[in-house]
Amino acid sequence: MDGPRQDAALDEEEDMVIIYNRVPKTASTSFTNIAYDLCAKNKYHVLHINTTKNNPVMSLQDQVRFVKNITSWKEMKPGFYHGHVSYLDFAKFGVKKKPIYINVIRDPIERLVSYYYFLRFGDDYRPGLRRRKQGDKKTFDECVAEGGSDCAPEKLWLQIPFFCGHSSECWNVGSRWAMDQAKYNLINEYFLVGVTEELEDFIMLLEAALPRFFRGATELYRTGKKSHLRKTTEKKLPTKQTIAKLQQSDIWKMENEFYEFALEQFQFIRAHAVREKDGDLYILAQNFFYEKIYPKSN
């Protein structure tokens, strides 16, 4: 393809913005490192959205500023924005071209356990940094047995509101409306949502679908030093009794239902995009073409 149509396609790519509104402790740093490692080679910009006290809900005035920045900051396009911010509907602000949203989620109990120990012991990414709960040696099992606040079922309520967005009901713990809205957004507003447990496949699909940003990402993930999974220090796996106690909670049931919903959607997309051969996955080549094109060109 050449001529005006090719120029338009190139302009579209150069105007592209991706938002990765990362959920804490879902391998988000590991994935973001890949974006940083590729940005110079693939010629795009990476920007971290740093919110005060990691508050995932923006004020109304900050929402307006954020939308204006992302849509009009031409010097930063193509751009990859990442940060712990809940979903924001750009259409509400009269934006004609919305950014591309992507995300990764994790088994809700595994995510909470990882976050619990991360607050106490940190990880191998910045081992010298003092964490908020440093010095607290209590295990996750002991916390659950004692009914501690840091391991309470309410702490599971995070992935649903991140996908639900900036409505007040999104942050009402246990809201059925919030879960339904999160599911709707995942299907209709997100380009692709992966799962931590299958991160390499998520990266492979992004490289196949959005090579402007992710060309070379799969190989980098497999071989790169920084793209290995960031590991929380001193993490002890919970016992079956601890897991069973958390699973009695209605909050866990809802967060797990959302996780299973996301997992099923991701596996559906993957099944239609790849084929397995000798234990390895391969991206399918283009599987459609055009014919019977009229009127005939001279």
Side-chain angles (χ1 to χ4, degrees), residues 22 25 28-34 36-37 82 118 121-129 131 225-233:
R22 33 195 289 206
K25 304 313 297 175
S28 61
T29 299
S30 304
F31 174 61
T32 304
N33 280 338
I34 294 175
Y36 277 111
D37 286 347
H82 67 97
F118 172 73
F121 301 103
D123 56 26
D124 57 3
Y125 186 64
R126 289 187 290 178
L129 189 65
R131 300 296 173 178
K225 293 180 180 178
K226 284 197 293 183
S227 56
H228 68 284
L229 283 183
R230 176 179 179 179
K231 293 180 176 62
T232 300
T233 308

Side-chain angles (χ1 to χ4, degrees), residues 17 48 67 80 88 116 162 168 209 220 242 278 283 287 292:
V17 171
H48 178 219
V67 170
F80 179 97
L88 184 62
Y116 178 88
F162 256 73
S168 63
L220 183 62
T242 296
D278 299 327
I283 292 290
N287 208 20
K292 300 177 183 177

Side-chain angles (χ1 to χ4, degrees), residues 46 96 119 154 167 172 179 196-197 218:
V46 182
K96 292 180 180 179
L119 291 180
E154 288 76 15
S167 301
N172 285 341
M179 186 180 71
T196 303
E197 297 78 7
T218 308

Side-chain angles (χ1 to χ4, degrees), residues 257-291:
E257 181 181 333
F258 179 67
Y259 168 76
E260 295 286 350
F261 179 83
L263 177 62
E264 182 179 354
Q265 174 67 9
F266 175 70
Q267 292 176 338
F268 177 84
I269 292 172
R270 183 180 60 188
H272 287 79
V274 303
R275 286 293 177 269
E276 185 175 350
K277 183 179 180 182
D278 299 327
D280 292 323
L281 292 180
Y282 297 90
I283 292 290
L284 289 175
Q286 182 168 315
N287 208 20
F288 72 93
F289 61 94
Y290 303 104
E291 63 178 5

